[in-house]
Amino acid sequence: MKASHQIAFCLLVLLAAGFSATRLSSGKTSATQKQKPAAAQAAPAAQQSQVDRGRYLVEDVAMCGECHTPRDAYGNTDNSQLLQGAAIWIVPVQPNTNWAMRAPALAGLPGFTDAQAETILEKGVGPNGLAIQPPMHIYHMNHADSTAIIAYLRSLSGTYPRE
Ligand code: HEC
């Protein structure tokens, strides 16, 4: 064989080896994909992702704990009592007789049905039919957000300490 033919032959062998290696590894990938959870396991996974989204909205976006979690001696939120209800520390700029002095416990969402909690978060109206008192915000959440938040709050036990 001429030297140039030898080189061409070597290249061909290398190409073929590379090609079959790719086929092998992609074969492996599809085999693993087939082992992924079946539809039967999809429901708890979806529920968990809803709880995770609710946690994100409560803890990182709407910051419910700023008012609903008690504070320690330094004024920081005491996360060993996360969302267990707290005295309100924000004062109105002008006197406001409608100002609430306490934010109720949210961990486990005790005392509220899902429908009541949805009305609070989507319309800003409490179970008594009145507008939520300040300094609680009048939220106008969409239904997906309010149900995710409710799922998260229900997932917390009343005796929360986490971490
Ligand atoms: C700025 C402070 C503040 C923040 C932030 C806040 N709340 Fe409140 N929340 C309050 C106060 C004060 C009350 C009591 C007002 C009332 O009962 O009308 C209250 C009441 C509630 C109630 C009971 C309402 C009723 O009619 O009894 C629920 C449920 C609630 N909050 C959920 C939440 C959730 C969920 C979040 C975050 C998405 C949140 N709150 C954020 C201050 C706050």
Side-chain angles (χ1 to χ4, degrees), residues 57-59 61-68 83 86-90 98-106 109-112 116-117 120-121 124-137 139 141 149-150 153:
L57 291 169
V58 166
E59 293 182 3
V61 180
M63 316 290 286
C64 317
E66 288 292 308
C67 297
H68 287 268
L83 299 173
I88 284 296
W89 52 281
I90 306 165
N98 197 31
W99 200 259
M101 290 315 294
R102 197 167 170 84
L106 297 182
L109 211 49
F112 297 99
Q116 287 171 334
I120 292 167
L121 297 175
V125 176
N128 57 7
L130 300 175
I132 297 296
Q133 290 173 257
M136 168 80 179
H137 308 291
Y139 291 108
M141 295 188 186
I149 285 177
I150 291 164
L153 295 176

Side-chain angles (χ1 to χ4, degrees), residues 24-95:
L24 263 180
S25 64
S26 67
K28 256 188 221 148
T29 318
S30 65
T32 351
Q33 275 165 354
K34 268 181 211 145
Q35 286 162 10
K36 278 206 169 154
Q41 288 172 2
Q47 174 65 20
Q48 185 52 41
S49 75
Q50 200 182 32
V51 168
D52 287 344
R53 178 162 167 74
R55 176 185 295 122
Y56 161 72
L57 291 169
V58 166
E59 293 182 3
D60 299 326
V61 180
M63 316 290 286
C64 317
E66 288 292 308
C67 297
H68 287 268
T69 299
R71 289 176 185 265
D72 63 19
Y74 302 99
N76 299 316
T77 48
D78 175 1
N79 286 335
S80 70
Q81 300 181 65
L82 192 83
L83 299 173
Q84 298 206 350
I88 284 296
W89 52 281
I90 306 165
V91 288
V93 176
Q94 302 297 338

